[in-house]
Amino acid sequence: EGGFDDKSFNETSYKGLKDAVDQLGIKEKDLQSNTVSDFATNIQQMVDSNCNIIVTVGFMLGDDTLAAAQANPDIDFAIVDYAYDNPPENVKGLTFDTAQPAYLAGYVAASLSQTGTVGTFGGMNIPTVTIFMQGFALGVQHYNEVKGTDVKVVGWDTNAKDGAFVGGFSDVAGAKQVALTLTSQGADVLLPVAGPAGEGGLQVAQESGGKISSMWVDSDGYLSMPQYAAVIPTSVGKGMDVAVFNAIQDSLEGTFSNEVFSGTLE
């Protein structure tokens, strides 16, 4: 959802493919899904095109990727944001402990807040989204412990593991309404974890006259969303481009394995 030009999740992953084309001299094919029902069909089209490695992007492609890998053991598969307990030898999960950088973002948000309240919201209630929100909230909690403050988090409950969600990753207007709800509760620093829909949070910040700021995730928002640069204090980076590039390079060089890639701050 959101396409290769979403300035966030898909675009960062796609950059890994483009970098591999530029640096490794490989040929590429790509397809964008419009609905969930496109996943299996699009993967099969890549199989039919005789691709040596197929990279799928997103948690929701987990089942279809596994099925295709099992049916095509001579093709390497890598999937962003998913890992399997007992993967076939030709499937590599590309995962990221984004709670780590989100924790730092929460600490920063707490330090910037003038109202004593910060907020976060997600696109959908799935693990690869909520890991950001949980890390963010724990970072705020740590700031309070270190500084003796009581900065509150709206949009996420660390105990209930639930919070505010748009319902998808494309609805900018819907995300803006969620962001407005959080700011009405006092939040003056936001962390949208909603792909391109997260622009709704940036819009609220931009229209606040300097009272609200909004972070970005996956890519460096200062560069990918330059029209909002003035209201983005920092971004929670996620090196999906590096992981995708490395998986493709390993496949090309014959060193591909099913060992899960786990991206951390280190």
Side-chain angles (χ1 to χ4, degrees), residues 1-19:
E1 190 175 348
F4 291 135
D5 58 349
D6 66 355
K7 312 301 182 187
S8 183
F9 178 76
N10 294 321
E11 190 164 322
T12 303
S13 300
Y14 189 56
K15 180 179 179 293
L17 172 63
K18 303 303 289 186
D19 288 347

Side-chain angles (χ1 to χ4, degrees), residues 55-56 61 131 161 185 218 234 237 249:
V55 183
T56 57
L61 283 101
I131 188 174
K161 301 291 194 302
Q185 296 172 29
D218 296 335
T234 192
Q249 186 175 41

Side-chain angles (χ1 to χ4, degrees), residues 66 69-70 82-92 258-260:
L66 179 60
Q70 290 172 330
Y82 203 91
Y84 306 95
D85 291 334
N86 296 294
E89 292 183 359
N90 62 326
V91 182
K92 187 178 192 70
N258 65 352
E259 181 181 353
V260 175

